[in-house]
């Protein structure tokens, strides 16, 4: 049987269709194609001979070597840069005669976000002509690809790249909740399908490389990009990230991982122009921040990595041979290519100041392992200094050859040399296909977390409702959470719209009162202290209170908008911004039942609400049908099943306060409040579940023997529901300090009322190992404690097993309390 490592090196995109003469309907311009297309191969260099690099049957490395040997310095360096697409840098949606004089006449590494409908953060870019309809977008990218294949000397195809953190970044591609919301589903199979959908839609529209997933860990929730992560726990993030990689690449598209490495903990959680000086020990780097990337590369065979802006221990990652070569390629066996995050190469010179000139910054980056520089400036800004460094002998040509070889290898594996064009008709069938929308539908519902439900306040009984007030700044703001790096041309269903649609058939009146803005006029200073509310603010709150006078229930939708919880938008507080807390208290004071719905990109310290409001639901930054999903949950058509992928601290003053943690690191301090507001893994249901009959087999084994952990889960309530059973593990005694408890497994199980199912986990060496004092991954003999629970703090079952040394022995490990002398 072929190993995973061998499979990872095979081409992804041949799919049974090698080169054939393209048909006119594949392009915008219906003119005849050049006479270079033959049965099964393309005469890319137009010499009438099937050379090795044009032969799909030739070994991959032979093809790469043959092409590299034919390339000039100009052609090699053109492969080492991104041409940012229309309208960011490229001003043409289709090739023009002027392209014959542009830098890319010698080829290009990749073209990013070409005409994808990215209108800018605030719709400040022109609307492309060829983003829609989908078939025309495919034809457009085919047209550009045809120019590179037919008009450049060697016919090297471009790699079309795009973002893909909530589905593909295209005007009307399928939209999913933010990564943090998707993570709350604790559903690897769902993430795998989201990856497939993102990859399928990318491939159909002409893209061959997607910048996804984001594998950073949100260990400091003040950080603006918390919403883009799969949470704070390395096991959860790596498990979900690996599935996203596999799903994307199953769809014949490269997955490029973001952001390598140690990027997500800039000092103080600040983002924007900071992104430096991460406070992490080398042990934390190895055990926490590199784990998701390690698994995505070694197990998933990811073909791309984006190098991050930050430094580590004084060395910019972009110029770090340790990270980009020694760890990534030598230790992990990475076979893809590395792109820069925007301006990261420039920062070596302008921010980190470890390069005296920009040219030297370019040299440092390439020598460290950077393949392609990607940012929002013309490619010649980079290629000019790059060529100068080579010509003056400062950058060895052998290093350049290796970087180009790594780029070409990916392009061959993607099948771009053998099948460079896509089928426009497939785009029409693929994008937003019914199965894709069904997955988005499922993700929206499984991502919702029921945080509190005192007195069974939820679900709402439609038969008892006559009038409902939906209030708050996120209740009817379709643009509040629309971004996947740009406005989207999608019809978002707001919570107000979802509830109105759902309740209309029952004759329930649904009112709306915004009350206050999401943030106030003094934000962000108001995160430090608030001036007395203005007359306009008081009037808005009064109007909402008046609207609640005769309603049966108030649904208050509060939280954050995308503009204060995204890249370059961190906070100093985790409280509700603006005067939203004032609105909530005023609505609660009416005496009407209140349901708080949070829509936000990071944990919020809603302490007052957690004490006084009976029902709290976490919606996150949802996908396009958020309001419909919320209505399904609030009205009981869907039983909530999401669990928190990140800790909700009581205050920003506790930060860093996260999971996992080392013993005692987050224990009680007499001068502080203790504990989390809502712990990692927390999530309630409209039914109840019990766990019983924990079985471990074997209870004593060597390090390479799998340990099976099984328990029985029973739905003891009256509704069908999904439970997320979580397995936590503790190495009881070890040569270095390890986690107080570490997530090592989770399983989503669906149960009818009264139904019982066994849930089984298998623990292997990977789950048991630790990084010893010599920074070696080892499994140490001794006792391990298994904990099964409904959250990291709601542990229901405990058991133990012992790992033995090769000679069958294990150290004596006796808990301290068992060693105390008996009282006289």
């Amino acid at each position: 049987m072929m190993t995973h490592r061998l499979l990872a090196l095979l081409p992804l995109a041949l799919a049974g269709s090698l080169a054939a003469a393209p048909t006119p309907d594949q392009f915008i311009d219906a003119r005849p194609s050049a006479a270079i297309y033959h049965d099964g191969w393309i005469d890319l260099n137009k010499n009438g001979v099937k050379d090795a690099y044009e032969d799909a049957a030739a070994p991959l490395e032979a093809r790469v070597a043959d092409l590299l040997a034919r390339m000039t310095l100009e052609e090699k360096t053109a492969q080492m840069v991104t041409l940012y697409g229309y309208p960011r840098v490229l001003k043409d949606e289709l090739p023009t005669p002027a392209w014959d004089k542009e830098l890319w006449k010698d080829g290009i590494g990749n073209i990013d976000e070409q005409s994808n409908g990215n209108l800018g953060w605030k719709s400040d870019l022109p609307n492309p002509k060829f983003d829609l309809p989908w078939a025309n977008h495919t034809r457009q990218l085919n047209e550009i690809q045809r120019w590179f294949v037919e008009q450049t000397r060697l016919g090297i195809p471009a790699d079309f790249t795009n973002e893909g953190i909530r589905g593909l970044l295209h005007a009307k591609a399928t939209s999913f909740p933010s990564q943090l919301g998707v993570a709350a589903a604790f559903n690897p199979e769902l993430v795998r399908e989201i990856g497939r959908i993102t990859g399928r839609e990318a491939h159909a529209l002409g893209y061959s490389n997607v910048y996804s997933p984001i594998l950073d860990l949100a260990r400091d929730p003040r950080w603006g990009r918390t919403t883009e992560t799969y949470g704070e726990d390395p096991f959860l993030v790596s498990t979900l990230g690996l599935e996203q990689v596999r799903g994307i690449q199953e769809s014949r598209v490269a997955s490029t991982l973001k952001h390598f490495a140690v990027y997500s903990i800039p000092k103080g959680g600040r983002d924007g122009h900071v992104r430096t000086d991460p406070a992490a020990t080398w042990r934390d780097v190895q055990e926490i921040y590199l784990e998701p990337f390690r698994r995505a590369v070694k197990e998933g065979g990811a073909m791309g990595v984006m190098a991050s802006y930050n430094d580590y221990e004084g060395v910019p990652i972009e110029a770090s041979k340790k990270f980009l070569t020694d760890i990534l390629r030598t230790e992990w066996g990475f076979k893809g290519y590395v792109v820069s995050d925007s301006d990261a190469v420039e920062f070596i010179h302008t921010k980190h100041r470890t390069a005296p000139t920009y040219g030297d910054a370019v040299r440092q980056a390439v020598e460290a392992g950077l393949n392609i520089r990607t940012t929002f400036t013309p490619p010649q800004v980079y290629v000019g200094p790059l060529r100068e460094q080579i010509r003056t002998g400062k950058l060895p040509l052998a290093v350049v050859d290796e970087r180009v070889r790594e780029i070409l290898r990916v392009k061959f594996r993607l099948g771009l040399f053998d099948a460079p064009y896509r089928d426009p008709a497939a785009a029409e069938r693929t994008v937003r296909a019914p199965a894709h929308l069904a997955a988005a539908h499922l993700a929206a519902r499984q991502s919702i977390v029921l945080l509190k439900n005192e007195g069974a306040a939820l679900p709402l009984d439609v038969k008892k409702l006559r009038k409902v007030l939906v209030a708050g700044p996120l209740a009817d703001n379709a643009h509040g959470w629309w971004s996947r790096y740009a406005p989207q041309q999608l019809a978002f269903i707001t919570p107000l719209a979802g509830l109105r649609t759902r309740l209309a058939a029952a004759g329930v009146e649904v009112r709306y009162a915004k009350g206050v803005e999401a943030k106030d006029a003094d934000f962000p200073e108001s995160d430090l202290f608030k001036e007395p509310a203005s007359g306009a603010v008081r009037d808005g709150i009064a109007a909402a209170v008046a609207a609640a006078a005769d309603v049966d229930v108030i649904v208050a939708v509060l939280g954050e908008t995308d503009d204060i919880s995204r890249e370059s938008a961190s906070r100093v507080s985790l409280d509700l911004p603006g005067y939203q807390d004032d609105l909530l208290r005023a609505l609660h004071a009416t005496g009407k039942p209140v349901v708080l719905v949070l829509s936000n990109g990071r944990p919020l310290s809603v302490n007052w609400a957690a004490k006084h409001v009976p029902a709290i639901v976490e919606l996150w930054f949802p996908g396009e049908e958020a309001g419909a999903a919320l209505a399904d949950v609030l009205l009981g058509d869907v039983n909530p099943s999401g669990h928190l992928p990140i800790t909700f601290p009581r205050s920003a003053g506790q930060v860093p306060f996260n999971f996992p943690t080392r013993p005692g690191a987050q224990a009680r301090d007499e001068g502080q409040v203790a504990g989390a507001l809502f712990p990692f893994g927390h999530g309630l249901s409209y039914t109840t579940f019990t766990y019983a009959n924990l079985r471990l087999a074997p209870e004593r084994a060597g390090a390479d023997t799998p340990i099976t952990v099984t328990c029985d889960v029973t739905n003891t309530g009256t509704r069908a529901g999904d439970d997320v059973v979580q397995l936590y593990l503790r190495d009881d005694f070890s040569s270095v300090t390890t986690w107080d408890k570490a997530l090592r497994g989770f399983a989503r199980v669906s149960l009818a009322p009264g139904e019982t199912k066994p849930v089984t986990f298998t623990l292997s060496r990977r789950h048991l190992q630790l990084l010893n004092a010599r920074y070696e991954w080892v499994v140490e003999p001794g006792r391990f404690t298994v904990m099964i629970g409904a959250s990291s703090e709601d542990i229901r079952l405990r058991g133990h097993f012992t790992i033995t040394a090769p000679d069958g022995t294990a150290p004596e490990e006796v808990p301290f309390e068992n060693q105390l002398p008996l009282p006289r």
Side-chain angles (χ1 to χ4, degrees), residues 544-725:
V545 169
D550 59 344
V551 300
D552 301 299
V553 67
I554 302 167
V555 178
V557 190
L558 310 179
E560 301 175 311
T561 51
D562 169 77
D563 67 322
I564 63 172
S565 188
R566 59 164 170 81
E567 183 176 1
S568 302
S570 298
R571 294 183 62 195
V572 298
S573 171
L574 298 178
D575 297 338
L576 284 166
Y579 293 93
Q580 295 186 67
D581 197 63
D582 299 61
L583 172 64
L584 180 62
R585 292 179 188 230
L587 293 172
H588 182 268
T590 64
K592 302 293 183 180
V594 176
V595 175
L596 172 60
V597 175
L598 295 173
S599 180
N600 41 287
R602 58 167 62 84
L604 294 178
S605 298
V606 287
N607 290 284
W608 186 89
K611 184 175 182 180
H612 296 284
V613 177
I616 305 177
V617 172
E618 177 58 72
L619 185 62
W620 309 109
F621 282 173
E624 62 184 290
E625 62 163 46
L630 177 65
D632 284 346
V633 168
L634 294 185
L635 301 176
D637 294 333
V638 169
N639 195 341
S641 60
H643 287 250
L644 292 181
I646 189 168
T647 302
F648 276 46
R650 294 180 182 273
S651 166
Q654 292 176 292
V655 174
F657 192 93
N658 42 38
F659 181 89
T661 185
R662 291 186 171 87
Q666 294 175 180
R668 183 172 182 82
D669 181 292
E670 297 303 324
Q672 292 187 353
V673 295
L677 185 64
F678 300 108
F680 176 86
H682 172 73
L684 304 177
S685 171
Y686 295 153
T687 189
T688 54
F689 301 96
T690 60
Y691 305 165
N693 302 323
L694 180 64
R695 289 96 75 192
L696 289 80
E699 294 185 1
R700 188 178 179 92
D704 292 315
T705 300
I707 304 293
T708 300
V709 180
T710 303
C711 69
D712 296 330
V713 182
T714 301
N715 182 345
T716 54
T718 59
R719 290 174 177 264
D722 285 8
D723 191 24
V724 175
V725 184

Side-chain angles (χ1 to χ4, degrees), residues 516-534:
V516 298
E517 298 293 338
K519 61 181 181 180
D520 59 282
D522 294 326
F523 185 88
E525 287 76 10
S526 58
D527 262 355
L528 302 176
F529 69 93
K530 287 185 175 63
E531 299 290 353
S534 67

Side-chain angles (χ1 to χ4, degrees), residues 112-356:
D112 196 23
E113 295 188 33
Q114 172 67 16
S115 296
N116 65 348
N118 180 345
L119 307 180
W121 286 113
K122 299 178 180 178
S123 299
D124 55 356
L125 296 175
N127 192 3
K129 179 179 179 182
F130 294 107
D131 59 338
L132 298 168
W134 299 313
N136 253 15
H137 186 271
T138 305
R139 291 186 182 98
Q140 180 212 25
L141 265 57
N142 282 345
E143 194 72 66
I144 295 170
Q145 192 73 284
R146 176 163 66 168
W147 188 90
F148 283 98
V149 169
E150 296 184 2
Q151 300 302 317
T152 63
R153 187 179 75 92
L154 294 173
I156 302 174
D159 183 11
F160 287 102
T161 60
N162 201 354
E163 297 285 354
I165 61 169
R166 295 175 61 180
L168 186 72
L169 177 52
H170 188 274
K172 286 186 179 293
T174 303
S175 164
F176 297 96
S178 66
Q179 275 199 191
L180 193 62
V182 167
F186 276 71
N187 189 340
E189 293 79 12
L190 175 62
V191 175
R192 181 76 158 261
E193 184 59 17
I194 290 172
R196 291 189 190 105
I197 291 166
T198 302
R200 286 185 202 122
E201 296 191 355
H203 189 272
L205 287 165
Y207 299 103
S208 44
N209 194 326
V210 173
Y211 295 157
S212 177
I214 290 177
L215 296 181
D216 305 305
L217 284 96
R219 303 287 286 176
D220 185 336
R222 297 171 298 178
W223 184 52
R225 305 188 81 168
T226 294
T227 187
E228 298 178 19
T229 75
Y230 286 126
E232 67 188 359
D233 177 76
F235 182 84
L236 177 64
V237 173
S238 61
T239 300
L240 300 183
L242 175 60
E243 295 307 308
Q244 177 82 346
V245 169
R246 287 171 169 166
I248 290 172
Q249 296 198 162
E250 282 172 12
S251 302
R252 299 170 289 158
V253 171
S255 168
T256 292
L257 316 175
K258 298 166 66 172
H259 305 84
F260 186 75
V262 205
Y263 169 71
S264 58
I265 47 168
K267 192 173 182 179
R270 289 178 282 272
D271 199 43
H273 297 289
V274 186
R275 315 186 203 211
T276 55
D277 196 20
T281 66
W282 184 238
R283 179 169 298 279
D284 281 349
V285 171
Q286 289 286 330
E287 293 181 342
I288 300 176
Y289 299 103
L290 291 187
E291 176 65 8
F293 292 95
R294 181 188 293 113
R295 291 193 65 193
V297 171
K298 295 186 71 172
E299 298 178 43
M303 289 197 289
V305 163
M306 180 179 287
S308 54
Y309 292 116
N310 54 287
D311 61 338
Y312 180 71
E313 292 191 334
V315 179
I317 296 295
E318 206 73 34
S320 174
K321 180 177 180 291
K322 179 177 184 177
F323 280 96
L324 300 188
T325 297
D326 297 344
I327 293 175
L328 189 59
R329 294 190 183 278
T330 304
E331 183 180 340
W332 296 350
F334 177 64
K335 298 296 183 183
Y337 73 72
V338 178
V339 300
S340 69
D341 206 343
S342 304
D343 286 348
V345 174
E346 287 74 3
F347 286 166
I348 300 171
H349 172 56
T350 62
K351 178 180 288 189
H352 303 295
R353 303 199 305 274
T354 57

